[in-house]
């Protein structure tokens, strides 16, 4: 998985165990996010961390999930994106009119596409209904990284309340200043009317797209049965408040009135969903967990996918490549198998060998920017000077289409540096830091880049924009 693909080096420690599970494909943005706390985790770190996850295959699937729903909601032209959070809990929330945040845990635990589509439809209802409008006004122009950091400074307060811990709550509260406090209050205030309105809207969108609302009911019932309560509202959907029986009953009445209540997900969509879950299990879980879920007796494609990913993460790269080649033999036209092979070779220090499969993956996906950024990285890390111009070309295309790709910018900076183009190298490095949410470093690098460009040129103007960017206070790194 890639895009803002950051070449990741595994690190130790309980607070970063999830981070260590992901490689280049499941790329990380090192955001300051709320991690479902345990007492031990709270003692070990005052600033729990999670990550924003980037992956070409999963993002494409989620776009296919949301596209018809957004069209039904009249939001097709709003460029609403789904942002993946590297958190194992089942959760989703909205922050503004442009982003729906979904935890990878929700994707891993949802048995069917319909269950996730129901979640996305509910969150779309919040966006279309203009809920959390005050917060949207405050953060409409903010970067995703800034939003996540700001939101989850507030979420830390709720975490402390939910677990009975005063430490993390007071620490988070101390980090929130005037406008952020207002945003936090907007996030944490439970408004039943908005939730029910979003439920009704979700059923309306699902009916319009001839899909069932059964998945929404299954999700609500799951949390009702598990009695997952939280004392203050963190998000507008799953973990934010009790799923009242009357609310489930009202939703069930609406859903069962639909002629599409018993509609099933298309088999091809279910197959893609199963592959997505296998991919996440392969990246997130330890090998023993992967092999319990996908034992050797399971010869299905998802099982082979999960085991191949686990082998590349924890085993011998040659064994991993053999497993991936077996996948390629079964589905030669699947670009994500080629991407995985390139990723495994790249992270094993065999960048030159990673180039051919990544080129195939780029070609098969019509130049997906995440995979293209990984190809550019492989070209740079191959150490072959003949690849430098090609790397700059690939990385320039990738970052133009996906300016949030920190890894793409970082590799582009290295490629420019090899050419001796220090102005563009500094600017690309500044954009890499900016995409990662490190605004202080971004401003410093951009200030240096600005001195290297003639005043008024495109490079100078881009550098100046970064120098003058004002992120929310809680999103700035100290």
């Amino acid at each position: 998985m890639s895009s803002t693909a950051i070449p990741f080096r595994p690190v130790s420690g309980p607070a970063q165990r999830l981070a260590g599970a992901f490689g280049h494909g499941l790329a990380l943005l090192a955001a300051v996010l709320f991690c479902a706390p345990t007492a031990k985790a709270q003692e070990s770190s005052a600033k729990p961390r999670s990550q924003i996850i980037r992956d070409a295959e999963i993002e494409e699937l989620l776009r296919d999930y949301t596209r018809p729903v957004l069209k039904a909601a009249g939001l097709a032209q709003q460029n609403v994106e789904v942002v993946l959070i590297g958190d194992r809990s089942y959760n989703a929330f909205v922050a503004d009119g442009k982003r729906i945040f979904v935890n990878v845990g929700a994707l891993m635990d949802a048995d069917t596409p319909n269950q996730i589509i129901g979640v996305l439809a509910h969150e779309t209802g919040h966006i279309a209904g203009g809920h959390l409008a005050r917060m949207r006004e405050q953060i409409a122009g903010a970067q995703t990284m800034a939003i996540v950091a700001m939101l989850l400074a507030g979420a830390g307060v709720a975490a402390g309340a939910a677990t009975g811990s005063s430490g993390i709550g007071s620490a988070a509260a101390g980090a929130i200043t005037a406008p952020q406090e207002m945003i936090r209050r907007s996030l944490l205030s439970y408004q039943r009317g908005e939730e029910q309105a979003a439920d009704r809207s979700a059923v309306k969108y699902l009916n319009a797209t001839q899909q069932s609302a059964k998945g929404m009911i299954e999700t609500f019932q799951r949390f009702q049965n598990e009695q997952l309560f939280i004392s203050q509202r963190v998000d507008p959907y799953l973990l934010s408040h009790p799923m009242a029986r009357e609310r489930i009953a009202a939703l069930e009445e609406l859903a069962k009135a639909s002629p599409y209540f018993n509609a099933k997900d298309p088999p091809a969509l279910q197959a893609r969903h199963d592959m997505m879950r296998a991919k996440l299990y392969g990246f997130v879980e330890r090998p023993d967990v992967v092999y319990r879920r996908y034992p050797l007796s399971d010869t299905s494609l998802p099982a082979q996918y999960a085991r191949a990913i686990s082998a590349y993460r924890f085993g011998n790269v040659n064994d991993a490549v053999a497993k991936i080649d077996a996948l390629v033999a079964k589905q030669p036209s699947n670009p994500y198998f080629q991407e995985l092979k390139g990723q495994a070779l790249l992270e094993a220090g065999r960048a030159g060998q990673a180039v051919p499969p990544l080129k195939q993956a780029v070609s098969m996906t019509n130049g997906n920017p995440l995979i293209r950024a990984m190809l550019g990285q492989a070209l740079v890390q191959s150490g072959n000077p003949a690849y430098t111009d090609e790397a700059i070309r690939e990385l320039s295309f990738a970052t133009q289409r996906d300016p949030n790709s920190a890894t793409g910018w970082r590799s582009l900076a290295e490629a420019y540096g090899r050419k001796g183009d220090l102005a563009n190298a500094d600017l690309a490095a500044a954009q890499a830091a900016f995409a990662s949410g490190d605004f202080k470093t971004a401003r410093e690098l951009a200030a240096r880049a600005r001195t290297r460009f003639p005043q008024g040129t495109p490079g100078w103007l881009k550098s100046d924009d970064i120098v003058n960017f004002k992120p929310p206070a809680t999103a700035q790194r100290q």
Side-chain angles (χ1 to χ4, degrees), residues 1-6 24-25 27 29 54-56 59 339 368-371 373-374 398-399 402-409:
M1 320 212 174
S2 58
S3 178
T4 288
I6 299 175
H24 182 105
L29 287 185
R54 301 300 310 276
D55 178 70
E59 289 180 6
E339 179 196 19
N368 179 280
L370 293 179
I371 304 175
M374 194 188 299
T399 51
D402 186 358
N404 291 323
S405 176
T407 297
W409 288 118

Side-chain angles (χ1 to χ4, degrees), residues 282-314:
F283 273 106
V284 171
E285 300 290 4
R286 302 185 312 273
D288 60 313
V289 177
V290 172
Y291 276 82
R292 280 199 299 271
R293 182 174 179 83
Y294 299 103
L296 291 173
S297 59
D298 185 348
T299 59
S300 67
L301 202 63
Q304 292 181 62
Y305 201 20
R307 293 195 296 263
I309 293 169
S310 187
Y312 124 68
R313 285 184 51 229
F314 294 100

Side-chain angles (χ1 to χ4, degrees), residues 31 68-69 108 175-176 236 264 284 308 345 356 396 417 436 465:
V69 171
M108 294 169 70
I176 301 174
K264 301 294 185 183
V284 171
L345 290 167
S396 295
S436 296
D465 285 343

Side-chain angles (χ1 to χ4, degrees), residues 94 157 219 288 296 331 334 349 442:
V94 292
V157 178
T219 298
D288 60 313
L296 291 173
Q331 285 192 353
N334 189 322

